[in-house]
Amino acid sequence: MTLLWIALLPLLGVLVPALTAQRGRSFCSLATAVLPATALVMTLLNVPALLDGEQLRFSVTWMPELALDLAFRLDGLSLLFNLLILGIGLLIILYAHYYLAKDEPFGRFYAFLMLFMASMVGISMSDNLILLWLFWELTSLSSFLLIGYWSYRSDARKGARMALTVTGAGGLALLAGLLLLGDMAGSFNMGDVLASGDVILADPRYPLMLGLVLLGAFTKSAQFPFHFWLPHAMAAPTPVSAYLHSATMVKAGIFLMARLHPAIAGSELWSVVVSLVGIVTMLYGAWFALMKTDLKGILAFSTVSHLGLITVLLGIGSPMAILAALFHILNHATFKAALFMSAGIIDHETGTRELKQLGGLKKAMPVTALLTTLAAAAMAGVPLFNGFLSKEMFFTESLATPVLGGVSWLLPALATLGGILSVAYSLRLVHAVFFKPAREEPPKTPHEPPHLMRLPVEILVVLCVVVGLFPAFMATGLLELASEAVIGSPLDFHLAIWHGVNLPLIMSLLAFVVGIALYWRHGNVRRFTQQFAGIDARRVFERILISIGYRSEQLIAALEGNSLQRYVGWLWLAALVMGGIGLVQITDLTGAAGNQPLDGILILGAVMLMFGGVATAATHRYRLISLLMLSVVGLFVALTFARFSAPDLALTQLSVEVVTMILLMLALFFLPQKTPRESSPLRNVRDMLLAGTLGLVIASLNYAVMTRDTLSISSFFVENSKPGGGGYNVVNVILVDFRGFDTLGEITVLAIAGLAIFKLLNRLRLFMPHSDGEGRVWSPDRYPAVLTSISMTLLPLALLVSAFIFLRGHNQPGGGFIAGLITAVALILLYMARGVAWAQERLDFPFQPVAVIGVAVATLTGLGSWLFGHPFLTSAFGYFSLPLIGTFELATALLFDLGVYLAVVGATLMILANLGKVTTAHRPVTETSGKDTDAAAATSSAKEPR
Amino acid sequence: MLSTALYVTLALVVMALLMNLYRLTIGPSLPDRVLALDTMYVNSIALIVLLGLWLNSKTYFESALLIAMLGFISTVAVCKYILRGDIIE
């Protein structure tokens, strides 16, 4: 259980700064530090158990369908990383407390930092591949927020975007790789995956999987050629750089390679790819670290270089190489975090990070100078510092490995070269900042920072020195645990400073001598390199992004013609082809069931239905007539439903028909009354052919299906409607019970559509034409008396019918949807007969809450079943009796149906009444000529407040 | 006896529907068409009730009721449209 808390505490910690930011920075910093400190202590408390060889695991099933478990492990590797993440994280909190300017939103910073810390701890402890990936993505997101913390700066935004793009793309590749890996291993549990290395190596998909996983790791750990985002991420505040780019985020890729080492390493492909990428990265980074003039730029590239070094070691993959890699992870994190923080202090106190403006700072900042020198010595690999030990181990391993076959001598040679560069840039960093006289004055007068701001650096430098002096005492225990976790068996080793005069020591000596010489002749080297045009990675990156965006737009433009006809044409053509293929495959169109009996009424009804359809299309240029024809189609469809025993559908169709007519007429008013002749005869023929053929195919398909006895799911509903849902009306029981979730989704969509239309029409005022299409002026009678009185009489009647249809819906044709439409139509009639103003005076409430309340009622009814321990939307029913009324049934489905009713009424009225309102205020009072009306339109619309 | 009357009535109603459709198609004026559609709705009520009698079922009644109650609203809307253009003002 403590494992879960170690992972959860930093995540909970995200809330702490948000809650305490009001109380001042000191309180907030302290409060933020509490939870990670607790997590650190809990991690340490688990060490004895770990030393006893216990398997510390925690697992809860989360989403078994996705093979996702909430599973954590704590082994040596997790321990090493947890200590780094939480320990350095705490130091960073202290450091950031002083680093951030007074007016900066520190609460937000801490929250991002905690989110990042939580996701890193999650990566380090995940015992499930998918879970690991989730935390991996979370690091990408939270690092985006951290890098872009100074969001007012363009370089911060661009750097953050670049980091997110690169690591995010790598994350996608990693997901694909991990899915493959889990599939190959047959499990997404980390333990199972690590144990099935043989199966994975033998799988033919291994190279693909390895490529994808390494893409993820290389992008995250800034390996060549994906290293370019890291220097640009230096736009982040220095605490972020110190944390993300020394100890944690960039180590995530390294961690992944170490974690999955037992499962996916061990092939020649792995060794060659990983060690080559690593060595190239190491040299590339080291070279540019020497060339940069920005303090953080130097550190960024040196980080790239050291990450490359660790990658080489992981690529070599022998047990001692793994040990060296783990040791260097630890050492690099300590000295690089110290260096970043020193750089931040220098930046903070002098106002610049440019080497040109820095120099001679040893007088003004003697303590910082000492600390930085010590940390840089560790980075250069000076004996008696921790960096020396792991570098020696690296040299030893580079000599021992046969990875590159005949050219294996290349590896130690390149390693020495890397050592030379490392010595040179470390020397340059220290000398140029503290000892060399400054060429230009820094913007601020430098002085020592507050003591507590320096404290984290002091702690880390002390660690560097102590580990360097007493490696066996300080690091052996931790490294034993960590290496056992990676290699799988205990490793016998002895960390010592002195191994006698051997080849690695000579390599080190060589590195020092040549490195110092290189720095001495540094000016010449710089002049030489200045002949080459530099490449700005960011510019290239932005250009690629822009070109991708441009290509996508072109592709979209090619695919999307913005022509509805074309879309529909393609859709129909596809349907035609698919339907045609289906039809060709059956031998006989008429199935075994044969035709149903036919009578004269059916034939005539079908003829009229077809006539209506054809006439709608034929008269489409005369829109009103076309609408009337469409109404014939609607009527006959309803009659067909009635004839074939589907009364619910008939009722729905009839009420929908009325609403559709009103809606279309409201819209038609603003459209030209006649459509101009647009299509060429050729197009007409083409469209007729397409539509006609499709019609024939669909008709044949229907005929083929209906003359066959097909297994349908309807028998289930018919049988279970009464016992399961408590209603005889199967249609309604399906709507409110069996498929209640669908209905809930539908009314939600309806309500949202209503709200969207309401918002879109809000304040839209269209000017209406002063006469109809043929130039007749409108009748002066706004509210005809007959209509007015009929509408008044009809309303109570319609509401009664509506209540009747609603209540009986569960057992007989009807239900909330139809009842809602009837109510809506009756109310709309009132609007038509008496006008918006009159109706609004009497229906003095907005309709949008009605629709929303409807959805809420339906949802709450569904949620209610949880109270009784049933799944969402389980309905219950019972029978009750009252005097006078007799026995009746009450079902929760009725409540759900009430929600449907309210949603339908609300949404329909919202749409129709608001559409009706569009013209209201702007009807021309006097009849004038067309020109004047247009002018009036212009002025009145201009006056309308926006 | 009833069945004979039923057949005759059904035939007459369907013929009426056909005539409505003819008027709706031919026009000539817009009010002609609107009236034809309205009459079509009225005749549908008859058709549904007759169908109920013929098939001896009560489930058709509500459809007839609904047409009787709401069917005219489409007509009203079209009339209002012809007269005033804006049906909800």
Side-chain angles (χ1 to χ4, degrees), chain A residues 498-818:
Chain A
W498 181 250
H499 291 282
V501 179
N502 52 11
L503 209 49
L505 191 67
I506 296 172
M507 285 160 77
S508 273
L509 278 178
L510 192 69
F512 276 106
V513 175
V514 183
I516 292 168
L518 183 63
Y519 176 59
W520 184 44
R521 304 304 307 167
H522 175 239
N524 299 12
V525 179
R526 281 181 63 84
R527 265 192 294 284
F528 172 68
T529 50
Q530 271 163 5
Q531 302 169 35
F532 307 102
I535 303 169
D536 185 355
R538 184 158 71 206
R539 202 165 285 169
V540 176
F541 178 78
E542 299 276 332
R543 202 161 55 217
I544 292 173
L545 275 198
I546 288 170
S547 102
I548 290 176
Y550 177 70
R551 298 248 165 94
S552 311
E553 273 169 24
Q554 276 188 324
L555 190 66
I556 290 170
L559 290 176
E560 281 191 17
N562 285 334
S563 151
L564 184 61
Q565 284 93 330
R566 197 177 299 168
Y567 296 161
V568 173
W570 282 112
L571 195 67
W572 283 8
L573 205 63
L576 186 64
V577 171
M578 303 306 275
I581 291 173
L583 268 184
V584 169
Q585 282 169 350
I586 56 173
T587 47
D588 195 5
L589 192 62
T590 312
N595 293 330
Q596 285 173 6
L598 206 61
D599 57 53
I601 298 177
L602 274 183
I603 296 173
L604 278 177
V607 168
M608 283 194 261
L609 184 59
M610 285 191 270
F611 181 85
V614 171
T616 308
T619 56
H620 75 275
R621 289 186 52 232
Y622 303 89
R623 290 179 166 167
L624 189 58
I625 297 176
S626 188
L627 189 57
L628 294 180
M629 290 299 182
L630 188 63
S631 168
V632 173
V633 175
L635 177 63
F636 274 91
V637 168
L639 288 175
T640 315
F641 285 144
R643 169 67 183 80
F644 289 103
S645 318
D648 281 282
L649 293 184
L651 292 177
T652 313
Q653 170 68 32
L654 284 169
S655 32
V656 165
E657 190 59 32
V658 177
V659 177
T660 315
M661 281 291 274
I662 295 172
L663 181 69
L664 282 177
M665 245 157 339
L666 281 171
L668 207 55
F669 180 50
F670 301 107
L671 300 174
Q673 299 304 301
K674 273 191 207 166
T675 318
R677 200 181 286 280
E678 280 169 339
S679 316
S680 64
L682 201 66
R683 263 182 74 163
N684 278 340
V685 170
R686 183 197 69 183
D687 293 351
M688 265 192 266
L689 271 178
L690 182 62
T693 328
L694 185 71
L696 285 176
V697 166
I698 297 293
S700 313
L701 276 178
N702 276 320
Y703 182 75
V705 169
M706 281 190 288
T707 51
R708 280 172 171 74
D709 286 318
T710 41
L711 272 181
S712 96
I713 53 168
S714 57
S715 58
F716 167 82
F717 295 115
V718 174
E719 279 157 21
N720 288 291
S721 169
K722 182 63 189 166
Y728 286 106
N729 181 3
V730 184
V731 177
N732 185 264
V733 175
I734 289 176
L735 283 179
V736 298
D737 193 330
F738 292 130
R739 307 307 303 259
F741 202 57
D742 291 359
T743 311
L744 184 60
E746 279 153 19
I747 58 172
T748 312
V749 168
L750 185 66
I752 291 171
L755 287 173
I757 291 174
F758 171 70
K759 275 319 271 186
L760 285 174
L761 293 180
N762 195 14
R763 300 211 175 158
L764 174 73
R765 292 290 177 265
L766 292 175
F767 198 80
M768 52 178 291
H770 75 295
S771 61
D772 67 6
E774 274 130 42
R776 281 187 296 264
V777 290
W778 304 119
S779 150
D781 191 5
R782 297 182 107 186
Y783 310 117
V786 179
L787 181 57
T788 321
S789 41
I790 286 182
S791 68
M792 301 288 279
T793 331
L794 185 73
L795 184 66
L797 180 68
L799 290 181
L800 185 68
V801 170
S802 162
F804 167 68
I805 295 263
F806 173 74
L807 285 175
R808 66 174 218 156
H810 211 43
N811 288 311
Q812 281 173 304
F817 190 75
I818 305 169

Side-chain angles (χ1 to χ4, degrees), chain A residues 601 604 611 624 632 635 639 642 654 669 673 778-779 781-782 787 808 822 825 832 835-836 916 919 923, chain B residues 10 14 21 24-25 30 33 37 41 44 48 60 62 66-67 73 76 80-81 83-86 88-89:
Chain A
I601 298 177
L604 278 177
F611 181 85
L624 189 58
V632 173
L635 177 63
L639 288 175
L654 284 169
F669 180 50
Q673 299 304 301
W778 304 119
S779 150
D781 191 5
R782 297 182 107 186
L787 181 57
R808 66 174 218 156
I822 295 174
V825 169
M832 286 200 286
V836 173
T919 56
R923 180 175 276 269
Chain B
L10 270 172
V14 172
L21 195 59
L24 179 58
T25 316
L30 209 48
R33 299 180 201 262
L37 184 67
Y41 269 95
S44 309
I48 290 177
Y60 297 103
E62 280 79 24
L66 213 59
I67 300 184
I73 294 180
V76 165
K80 191 89 200 288
Y81 181 77
L83 281 176
R84 298 280 303 167
D86 191 11
I88 298 179
E89 44 187 325

Side-chain angles (χ1 to χ4, degrees), chain A residues 62-70 128-131 179 187-189:
Chain A
W62 188 358
M63 284 188 239
E65 299 86 359
L66 299 179
L68 176 59
D69 291 333
L70 196 63
N128 176 289
L129 291 183
I130 309 282
L131 189 67
L179 289 177
S187 163
F188 284 87
N189 180 292

Side-chain angles (χ1 to χ4, degrees), chain A residues 121-208:
Chain A
V121 170
I123 289 185
S124 128
M125 291 179 60
S126 288
D127 200 21
N128 176 289
L129 291 183
I130 309 282
L131 189 67
L132 186 146
W133 181 78
L134 281 180
F135 283 117
W136 183 278
E137 288 298 279
L138 207 54
T139 58
S140 295
L141 290 177
S142 49
S143 67
F144 171 76
L145 294 171
L146 281 170
I147 297 169
Y149 175 71
W150 285 327
S151 53
Y152 51 87
R153 279 170 42 176
S154 157
D155 61 336
R157 291 197 304 271
K158 283 181 179 154
R161 206 168 58 197
M162 189 195 271
L164 182 69
T165 312
V166 176
T167 56
L172 279 180
L174 178 68
L175 175 64
L178 289 181
L179 289 177
L180 267 177
L181 180 63
D183 194 45
M184 285 152 69
S187 163
F188 284 87
N189 180 292
M190 192 64 81
D192 297 341
V193 172
L194 297 188
S196 42
D198 298 337
V199 184
I200 294 167
L201 287 182
D203 198 291
R205 291 170 292 173
Y206 172 76
L208 177 64

